[in-house]
Amino acid sequence: MLSRAISLQQPEKGRQSCYYDKHAQDVKLSEITSNSENATVIRKLRTNDLKEKQLIIKDDDRFELNDYISINQDDDLGWLGYFIGKSETLQKLTLCCWPDEKERVGAAAFAEGIYRNQSIQRLEFYSSAAFQNVISCRNNSNLTDLSLCCNIGGEDARSLALALGGMSLKLFHLEHNSLDSDSFDTIIKALISQKQLERLHVMFNAIDRRG
C-alpha cells in the first residue's frame, strides 16, 4: 500500500481532464493502486481486455469470477474513473460501494469518468451512495439496462425520475429498495416516456396495495 504521495497524485482541486490526458501514457499503475490485482485489472481496462467486458467495483476481497477492483484508501480513484471513461469496450459496470471520504484522491473525477463513458450498456447499483453520485449525470445513449438494488428511498425517486428522462432503457430492475407507493408513482410517470422498455422487474420494496 502507498504510504506517501506519489509523483502523479496532485491534489484533486488541481486536476482537470487535461491532467489525466497528459499523463495517461506515463502513469505507473503500481503507484495509483493499492495492490497488484487492482493494477492488473486497470491495465486490462486501459487496453480494452476485460473479461466478459464487465467490471465490478467493491470494497472487499471476496472471490469474484469476473474482473473486479477492491478499492481502499490507497487507490487513486481519479485514474480509475479516467480509464472507465476512456474505455470503448466496457459493457457492464457494477457499483457495490462508493468512496465517502472527502479527502480520497480523485473521488470527484471517479464519478466524472463514469459519466463520460459511452460504451456501458448495463449499469448495476448495490450502493445508495453510488446511485446518488452517478444517476443524476448519466450521459450514455448506449445504456439500455439499469438495475437498482441499493435501498433507495423517496428523495432518490425524484432524482431517478429526472434521470430516466435522458435514458432509453429496455430492461429496468428495481428491487430491494425502500420505495413507497408515492415514490413508485413518481418513477412510473417518468417511465411512460420509455416507449422502448421491454421488461420491468419490481419486487421487495415498500409499495402498499395502492401501488
Side-chain angles (χ1 to χ4, degrees):
M1 294 186 180
L2 300 178
S3 58
R4 58 181 176 80
I6 60 176
S7 59
L8 292 179
Q9 283 189 345
Q10 293 182 349
E12 189 167 353
K13 291 182 179 179
R15 285 184 174 183
Q16 305 293 332
S17 58
C18 59
Y19 165 81
Y20 294 100
D21 289 331
K22 180 179 179 180
H23 296 289
Q25 297 301 317
D26 302 322
V27 65
K28 295 180 180 179
L29 300 185
S30 61
E31 294 183 339
I32 61 171
T33 55
S34 60
N35 56 64
S36 60
E37 290 81 7
N38 284 2
T40 297
V41 174
I42 291 185
R43 184 176 296 107
K44 291 180 180 180
L45 180 64
R46 181 164 66 174
T47 58
N48 293 308
D49 193 32
L50 284 174
K51 181 180 180 181
E52 304 298 331
K53 299 181 180 180
Q54 59 182 298
L55 176 63
I56 300 170
I57 308 295
K58 56 183 192 168
D59 57 3
D60 60 61
D61 292 315
R62 285 179 293 183
F63 178 74
E64 290 283 353
L65 293 176
N66 299 304
D67 289 314
Y68 73 91
I69 288 181
S70 178
I71 58 175
N72 62 45
Q73 63 183 1
D74 293 324
D75 287 292
D76 187 319
L77 300 178
W79 279 108
L80 174 57
Y82 174 79
F83 289 122
I84 288 176
K86 286 291 185 179
S87 176
E88 297 178 352
T89 59
L90 179 61
Q91 295 181 359
K92 177 181 176 182
L93 178 64
T94 301
L95 297 170
C96 299
C97 64
W98 192 261
D100 57 0
E101 302 172 29
K102 294 181 179 179
E103 67 271 16
R104 288 289 295 275
V105 175
F110 182 39
E112 182 181 354
I114 297 173
Y115 166 72
R116 290 178 179 276
N117 177 276
Q118 294 295 305
S119 66
I120 295 173
Q121 299 173 16
R122 178 178 175 85
L123 183 59
E124 299 178 336
F125 291 97
Y126 291 92
S127 160
S128 58
F131 167 85
Q132 292 159 0
N133 278 278
V134 174
I135 199 64
S136 63
C137 61
R138 287 306 311 146
N139 186 42
N140 180 2
S141 60
N142 290 314
L143 181 67
T144 60
D145 189 343
L146 180 64
S147 179
L148 303 178
C149 184
C150 52
N151 200 34
I152 63 171
E155 289 296 324
D156 298 318
R158 286 184 279 276
S159 298
L160 175 59
L162 289 173
L164 286 171
M167 297 181 184
S168 297
L169 298 180
K170 293 183 178 180
L171 181 60
F172 186 25
H173 291 261
L174 195 61
E175 304 171 0
H176 295 279
N177 296 290
S178 299
L179 297 169
D180 58 19
S181 295
D182 291 335
S183 299
F184 187 65
D185 185 57
T186 299
I187 296 171
I188 288 298
K189 289 178 180 178
L191 285 175
I192 293 176
S193 64
Q194 300 286 321
K195 304 297 184 182
Q196 69 295 319
L197 187 65
E198 298 174 358
R199 286 184 289 172
L200 173 62
H201 296 265
V202 180
M203 58 191 305
F204 300 114
N205 289 281
I207 303 170
D208 58 27
R209 291 184 178 181
R210 292 183 298 116

